[in-house]
Every structure is written in C-alpha cells, then in structure tokens.
Amino acid sequence: MRVLMFGWEFPPHISGGLGTACYGLVQGMNHHNQEVIFVVPKLWGDEEPLADFVNASDVTIDYRERKFKKIWKNLTYLEVNSFLVPYLGQEEFKKYTDYAMHHRTDVDESIFSNKFEFSGKYGKNLMEEVSRYALVGAQIARDRSDFDIIHAHDWLAYPAGIAAKEISGKPLVVHVHATEYDRSGESVNRPVYEIERAGMHAADHIVAVSQLTKNICVRKYGVPAEKVTVLHNAVLDASIIKSAYQKKVPEKIVTFLGRITFQKGPEYFVEAAKKVIDRDPNVRFVMAGSGDLLNRMIDRVAELRMGTKFHFTGFLKGDDVDHMYAISDVYVMPSVSEPFGIAPLEAVRHNTPVIISKQSGVAEVLKNAIKVDFWDVDAMADAIFALLHYQSISKMFKELGGEELKKLKWEHVAAKLVTVYEKTLAQRS
C-alpha cells in the first residue's frame, strides 16, 4: 500500500510531540513494508530518509485550473493575519520565527504565485500557510497517482488532505493528535475549531490518539463514534536506557518537561512543589520547557520563596532531554487535557518513575504509574514525596513500567493503522 501523508513537521525539526509521533509512525510503517509519501511545508535536508519526502516549498501549482479555483474559493476564509500557533503562545513566537520575515505581504502578489515558500514554522501567518499548503496538497495529488489513500496529521494538514481528496477521489484518514479543546479549554479559537471540524467530517475515517480524544471528537465535533478508531502512541525503542550521566547536586530531582502552557498544567506542578519542599527541603524541582505561562511560573516561584530549589532550563532538545531524564528521580506530567503524552513513556525508558494526570491519554495504556487529578495538588505532592522516600515503591514502578514498554511499540501501532486503511478502502469500493 502507498500512502500520501501530510504533516507539518518531521524530526529533527520539531516543536512538540506531533513530529515525534509522525516519525514513529512512519518508521513503524516501514517495518510492515508500507510505502509513505510524506509531505511537509519545508524540508531542511537533514531528515532521516524513512519516506519519499516531498518539500511543499518546491511544488509549482497552477491555481487557474478549474478544480483549483473551486478549492481556492473554499479556502479564502483562512486568509487571516493572526497569531495562531499550535504549540507556542504569542510571547514565545519571536523566539522561533523571524518577525520581519512573517509580515503579511500583499495578498494579490503572495497568494497567486506559482510556487509558495513555506517557513516550516509556526509564525503569525500560520493560517495563510495552512491554506497555501492545501493548494499544494491538491497539486501533489493531481501530479502523483501512485498512492492508495491520504493521511493528514492534525488541523494544520487537514485542508491539504481535503484538497487532495477532492482532486484525486482517494479516501482520506485524518489523525487527531490534539484538539482545540485540549489547547484552549472551552475558550476555543473558532477558525481552528472549524478547520478541525471540517477535516473530521470530510474524512472517510478518523484516528484518535486516545479514548479521551475520541470522546471529544464525538461530543464536541459531532462525529459518529463508529467513524473513529483509537490508536495510542508508542515509543521508538522499548529498551531501558542506562545513562552514565550523573547529577551534580546531592538533592533528589523532580522534573516537569513540556510546554509551559495551560494545557500542560505547570501551575499545579509549582504548587505541589511548594508542599513537598515544606516537608523536605532536600529536593530540587526542575521545569524544562518554554511557553506563554513561563513568566507567570517564574513569578509564582518567587512569591513562594523557593527560587533556590526550583530551576527553569528553557526549551531542551536532543541529548539535553536525555540528560534531564537521567538525573531525575521523579517525572511529573500534570496535564489539564492531554490527548496522549509521549514524555512519560520516555521517562520510563530512562528508568524514572512517573506521576501522570488522570486527564491524559497515556493513562489509558501506562498502568504502572501513579495517576492523580491534575487539580489535586495535595495528592500530587503526596505521590512525589512517596516516590522520593520509599525506595521499594519507586523500584516497583521502575520495573513494572519497563515491562509495559515492550507492548508499546510503533510497529504495533502501524499494523493496526494498516488495518484501518484496508477497511476504509474496502468501504469505499
């Protein structure tokens, strides 16, 4: 089977779990001898050659073709100039994109050119790039007939998937890694919500990363439950990592590693940290990541007078992430609404016991972890204290967690995905 797959990022150039999941899924597909044409807005040249990559910035389109005009007419509503970023808040946007480069150009000049140059980032013209990406998706689907099915990852790629389906007539599967309700709570951004809803309803089938996410698709987007299949995320390698990296402080270390945004619940981690330090001052807390709540968290730590025991590292990647896991005695993910959450699985790989919120998709598959409600900072603090002071409990979670990882491999997820493809194709025929 040959799959035309639309994503927005691919390792090593990623801003969150989406790129990591795409990498794992493509690797799993290779294990089952499935061919993937993977389209991204911008290729950087250092991607691992796991797929037949297509650089959307290199694709020349002729929008004057009749079908393209119809697609363009349906996409003009996306042409808005706003800060709409899936991972980063407005405050963080400047750190990842060049502000001057993203100033809006004249629509008549930029939209109807034959080739679009994508930034490959999450800047303030993101919506404009999403709509352009859809036109490129249609062109690719017209030029290449050597695929059987279309697969679009998350809302950024849904319009491209829809356009490719309209041009080719091939079935579309959309992959819901997160929804606007996860990112924003009930205060959803309506344009993003409408794109998500359009993608889900245009799809022949939907893949959700957890039962939690499937429930949101059904309740909030009006999707029939039978149209959604749950495929949990996984890990690239289930082996336990034995790092030689040593921490340079005598205290125990408790880590939060993720985007410092509403969705990830960083404020609950800070409050729980205060309760633990009051009971045992020989503990250090680390908040690794960046996001729109970073400054607020720094201010709150100062208010609680625990600055000497609480550290902010900024955004980590590569070896720095591995080193952070290696020196951590406990990993905490207090997410308010987490579609899945790959980070706890990575922590388990580093032999680090984890505490996760009950409001996370990973809680559905990771049985040997302590689970608390994100808002229950007392329970969170008690769990942290127990793992730090009762070695038998910590050892148990390490051993059982390692055994669980063996069942959570991307090749298993890919096998289930192939079955979804086959059923979708059979229904269409």
Side-chain angles (χ1 to χ4, degrees):
M1 189 179 303
R2 197 160 170 81
V3 184
L4 176 59
M5 193 171 285
F6 292 96
W8 197 263
E9 59 180 32
F10 201 86
H13 302 278
I14 61 174
S15 295
L18 175 60
T20 302
C22 288
Y23 180 93
L25 195 58
V26 170
Q27 190 179 72
M29 295 283 283
N30 286 343
H31 186 85
H32 295 284
N33 300 314
Q34 305 297 310
E35 298 181 55
V36 178
I37 306 167
F38 198 95
V39 186
V40 286
K42 184 180 180 67
L43 282 178
W44 300 89
D46 54 355
E47 293 83 2
E48 190 175 337
L50 295 175
D52 179 3
F53 283 104
V54 177
N55 185 356
S57 297
D58 289 340
V59 176
T60 301
I61 73 165
D62 183 0
Y63 75 94
R64 292 165 295 186
E65 188 172 317
R66 183 176 299 174
K67 285 187 177 180
F68 280 66
K69 285 186 176 180
K70 179 182 177 183
I71 292 171
W72 177 248
K73 183 179 179 180
N74 292 334
L75 287 170
T76 51
Y77 76 96
L78 295 180
E79 295 299 322
V80 294
N81 187 16
S82 62
F83 292 86
L84 290 169
V85 280
Y87 296 126
L88 311 176
Q90 296 183 27
E91 187 175 315
E92 286 295 294
F93 139 82
K94 289 185 180 180
K95 296 180 181 179
Y96 293 87
T97 57
D98 179 357
Y99 186 92
M101 180 179 71
H102 286 289
H103 271 306
R104 186 177 177 84
T105 55
D106 183 80
V107 171
D108 290 335
E109 293 179 5
S110 65
I111 298 304
F112 301 118
S113 60
N114 288 328
K115 186 183 288 187
F116 302 135
E117 181 66 31
F118 293 89
S119 69
K121 297 180 183 290
Y122 301 95
K124 77 183 185 74
N125 279 357
L126 182 61
M127 281 296 215
E128 184 176 311
E129 292 205 353
V130 168
S131 61
R132 292 177 176 185
Y133 192 42
L135 285 178
V136 173
Q139 185 69 50
I140 293 170
R142 196 203 70 166
D143 292 345
R144 305 188 65 151
S145 58
D146 58 338
F147 63 91
D148 304 293
I149 197 165
I150 304 158
H151 189 143
H153 291 279
D154 245 18
W155 72 271
L156 297 154
Y158 291 171
I162 294 171
K165 177 181 177 178
E166 289 184 5
I167 289 292
S168 67
K170 303 290 178 67
L172 168 65
V173 172
V174 301
H175 205 134
V176 185
H177 295 266
T179 70
E180 184 59 10
Y181 285 92
D182 298 305
R183 291 182 290 267
S184 305
E186 292 298 321
S187 303
V188 298
N189 185 299
R190 294 306 298 184
V192 175
Y193 168 82
E194 293 298 339
I195 293 172
E196 290 177 333
R197 191 177 190 281
M200 293 181 200
H201 283 268
D204 294 88
H205 202 77
I206 298 167
V207 171
V209 295
S210 64
Q211 186 63 46
L212 180 74
T213 302
K214 176 177 178 176
N215 292 342
I216 292 174
C217 293
V218 174
R219 293 198 316 266
K220 301 293 188 179
Y221 294 83
V223 174
E226 61 272 15
K227 189 178 179 179
V228 188
T229 297
V230 174
L231 296 182
H232 294 103
N233 287 334
V235 290
L236 294 171
D237 186 347
S239 62
I240 297 298
I241 297 172
K242 296 181 179 179
S243 175
Y245 193 80
Q246 300 292 321
K247 63 181 177 183
K248 298 176 175 59
V249 294
E251 298 97 333
K252 297 291 181 68
I253 294 177
V254 182
T255 299
F256 169 107
L257 195 155
R259 285 176 283 117
I260 306 175
T261 62
F262 160 81
Q263 180 187 350
K264 300 296 183 179
E267 60 268 46
Y268 303 103
F269 180 76
V270 171
E271 300 302 324
K274 173 61 174 172
K275 292 179 178 293
V276 173
I277 291 172
D278 284 346
R279 294 170 69 180
D280 181 2
N282 294 314
V283 182
R284 289 180 184 265
F285 286 80
V286 175
M287 183 166 282
S290 60
D292 58 341
L293 293 184
L294 176 58
N295 289 339
R296 192 186 304 177
M297 294 304 100
I298 293 173
D299 290 342
R300 182 57 179 156
V301 167
E303 288 175 6
L304 295 173
R305 299 183 181 278
M306 56 180 184
T308 59
K309 294 294 182 179
F310 202 109
H311 309 276
F312 295 90
T313 69
F315 181 76
L316 299 182
K317 61 181 179 179
D319 290 341
D320 289 336
V321 173
D322 290 330
H323 293 163
M324 193 67 252
Y325 283 130
I327 65 174
S328 298
D329 295 282
V330 177
Y331 172 81
V332 183
M333 189 186 76
S335 297
V336 173
S337 179
E338 185 70 54
F340 188 78
I342 292 177
L345 301 183
E346 293 300 324
V348 172
R349 283 197 67 212
H350 287 80
N351 216 23
T352 303
V354 301
I355 299 169
I356 56 180
S357 76
K358 295 178 181 178
Q359 292 74 28
S360 63
V362 71
E364 298 169 14
V365 295
L366 194 58
K367 306 302 180 185
N368 292 295
I370 297 180
K371 302 166 190 177
V372 299
D373 289 306
F374 70 87
W375 45 262
D376 194 343
V377 294
D378 289 312
M380 195 182 302
D382 287 342
I384 293 170
F385 189 87
L387 288 173
L388 292 179
H389 291 84
Y390 300 101
Q391 292 305 308
S392 58
I393 297 177
S394 178
K395 181 181 178 182
M396 178 189 71
F397 280 113
K398 288 179 181 180
E399 293 176 351
L400 295 178
E403 287 299 312
E404 271 192 305
L405 282 186
K406 297 175 182 178
K407 305 173 186 176
L408 303 174
K409 295 182 179 180
W410 277 112
E411 60 194 68
H412 300 156
V413 179
K416 295 176 183 177
L417 179 61
V418 172
T419 301
V420 170
Y421 288 157
E422 291 172 346
K423 289 182 178 178
T424 303
L425 287 166
Q427 290 170 353
R428 283 290 298 268
S429 62

